[in-house]
Amino acid sequence: MDRPTRPGGGRVRGRHGRARGAARAVALASGTSALHLGPLAWGVGPGDVVPTSTMTFAATANAIVYTGATPYFIDSDPETGQMDPDLLERALCELKAEGRSVPAVVPVDLLGRCVDYTRIVEIAHAHGARVLADAAESLGAWHAGVPAGKHGDAAIFSFNGNKVMTTSGGGMYLTDDEVAAARVRHLATQAREPVAHYEHRDIGFNYRLSNLLAAMGLAQLARLDEMLERRRARREAYAELVADVPGVEVFQRRGDEDDNCWLTALIVDPKVAGFDAASLGAVLAAAGAESRPLWKPMHLQPVFAAMPHLTNGSAERMFRTGLTVPSGSALTAEEGERVAIVARRALAVRHAPVPVAGAV
Ligand SMILES: *Cc1c(COP(=O)(O)O)cnc(C)c1O
């Protein structure tokens, strides 16, 4: 898609009265390729440090490593689960004192809620770093009246099969910066110079979105509102289910009017609930409903063990106590009802002792 599109505009315009989409969008093969080319277009490379959220999917950190830079993992705010702006500020001050080069920060919109861009962008810019928003999960979410994908200096979306809207595989780079957008498009198209004889001055990539998949994306975009409503309804149903279950709550439920409700997670406090997230997951699995722990934080991953991090225990606690539950907009009403029945039964486990699984 060469023509600039306006994600966050169009379909979701009604929400806050006006759409303010990014001026430029480049359709790419995946969210990961957008996370790779975004920093490259800014000249990020070996020797640079790029702070990012420790609570994310590995793709965010992998892409930073592809550029040759070093990811620096920042823990979550205990309240919101999103990148903690105070920790980011501390990390940037410490890195500056060490004389490190920090050209960019990549905050991640966890589970379809925007990070606190008001503070994070201000802090990053004050330290001379640009912000690339990993909005892979937050298409259709808002922060401070501005749609996801429009925050920071650039943003990325994913259209992978598990995301809010999908092209089966795909992604997008968004920015108001025409030079950066042109650079991303160039690098994504094998870095072919605009001449007939295939001239190359850069190492390029084959990161374009195919035209067939782009057509699928346009059809999905037309259904975006409806798909978001289904996910929200699913979250409401879970909130009702756990309303009178002590020790179990819907993660990020408070203040979720601006979320896209991409993936609903339950947080289980075993001391209050009498069971833990793993045993709830086991009961759900036995009844045929898939659930998973929240992601294992990046600073605990063997592959990133040598990378720097600044933590406060929040992400590790979320990993121990969180369970993501079926949330897809393709779930039928019947399937949703079946999950609800199973979950209701599973949540009753506290009345009957069940074996508590070992730590996840
Ligand atoms: C899905 C996801 C990605 C990767 O997107 P792909 O399109 O699968 O490459 C990156 N970051 C986050 C936070 C994601 O959830």
Side-chain angles (χ1 to χ4, degrees):
M1 288 192 287
D2 280 343
R3 151 176 77 90
T5 53
R6 298 193 174 269
R11 305 296 306 167
V12 284
R13 188 192 310 258
R15 196 79 198 292
H16 292 262
R18 58 188 179 278
R20 284 183 286 172
R24 290 286 178 269
V26 184
L28 296 168
S30 64
T32 307
S33 48
L35 284 165
H36 181 191
L37 296 189
L40 277 190
W42 290 338
V44 173
D48 293 330
V49 180
V50 177
T52 188
S53 308
T54 194
M55 200 61 184
T56 185
F57 175 58
T60 320
N62 286 342
I64 293 169
V65 173
Y66 300 162
T67 69
T70 301
Y72 184 121
F73 300 115
I74 308 284
D75 213 330
S76 306
D77 175 308
E79 283 291 310
T80 64
Q82 305 288 349
M83 178 188 272
D84 186 330
D86 293 325
L87 282 187
L88 173 66
E89 187 161 39
R90 227 178 86 196
L92 289 172
C93 288
E94 286 174 16
L95 287 164
K96 183 183 280 175
E98 291 166 17
R100 303 299 301 268
S101 153
V102 187
V105 175
V106 184
V108 179
D109 295 344
L110 180 67
L111 304 188
R113 170 171 298 200
C114 290
V115 302
D116 182 354
Y117 286 109
T118 310
R119 289 204 59 211
I120 284 182
V121 171
E122 184 185 289
I123 290 165
H125 285 179
H127 285 83
R130 287 195 259 206
V131 173
L132 176 65
D134 183 345
E137 301 167 7
S138 60
L139 174 62
W142 295 77
H143 168 75
V146 176
K150 173 67 178 167
H151 296 278
D153 301 280
I156 72 99
F157 286 145
S158 165
F159 306 132
N160 190 42
N162 64 340
K163 297 304 196 300
V164 160
M165 81 165 234
T166 181
T167 57
S168 80
M172 190 165 270
Y173 171 83
L174 305 106
T175 184
D176 288 339
D177 177 347
E178 298 199 9
V179 175
R183 180 85 185 141
V184 165
R185 188 173 289 117
H186 175 69
L187 291 174
T189 320
Q190 308 281 25
R192 275 162 53 187
E193 294 298 321
V195 291
H197 62 262
Y198 295 99
E199 173 103 347
H200 302 274
R201 295 161 193 244
D202 294 295
I203 298 297
F205 304 86
N206 182 5
Y207 276 177
R208 284 162 299 177
L209 184 69
S210 86
N211 50 4
L212 273 179
L213 301 188
M216 185 190 283
L218 288 174
Q220 284 262 299
L221 195 58
R223 295 181 46 219
L224 181 59
D225 276 353
E226 174 203 329
M227 295 190 294
L228 293 176
E229 274 164 31
R230 279 161 164 262
R231 288 191 189 252
R232 179 167 300 278
R234 190 71 55 223
R235 175 164 301 181
E236 297 296 329
Y238 284 117
E240 265 175 47
L241 271 177
V242 304
D244 51 7
V245 182
V248 181
E249 58 182 71
V250 170
F251 180 53
Q252 293 180 333
R253 164 97 171 130
R254 214 173 333 139
D256 74 359
E257 339 45 80
D258 274 351
D259 294 18
N260 68 8
C261 299
W262 172 57
L263 187 57
T264 294
L266 303 178
I267 297 284
V268 181
D269 179 346
K271 283 200 219 82
V272 180
F275 54 89
D276 63 7
S279 55
L280 176 58
V283 177
L284 285 170
E290 187 185 11
S291 64
R292 291 196 196 174
L294 271 176
W295 290 303
K296 182 171 185 177
M298 292 305 113
H299 71 275
L300 297 181
Q301 298 288 355
V303 69
F304 296 125
M307 302 297 174
H309 57 83
L310 190 56
T311 53
N312 58 15
S314 298
E316 289 182 38
R317 191 167 48 249
M318 283 191 273
F319 174 51
R320 270 200 321 273
T321 60
L323 192 71
T324 61
V325 286
S327 312
S329 55
L331 272 183
T332 63
E334 264 163 57
E335 286 167 328
E337 186 54 32
R338 197 164 64 82
V339 172
I341 290 168
V342 165
R344 204 173 295 127
R345 210 182 304 140
L347 288 165
V349 295
R350 74 186 199 283
H351 300 305
V354 288
V356 171
V360 250

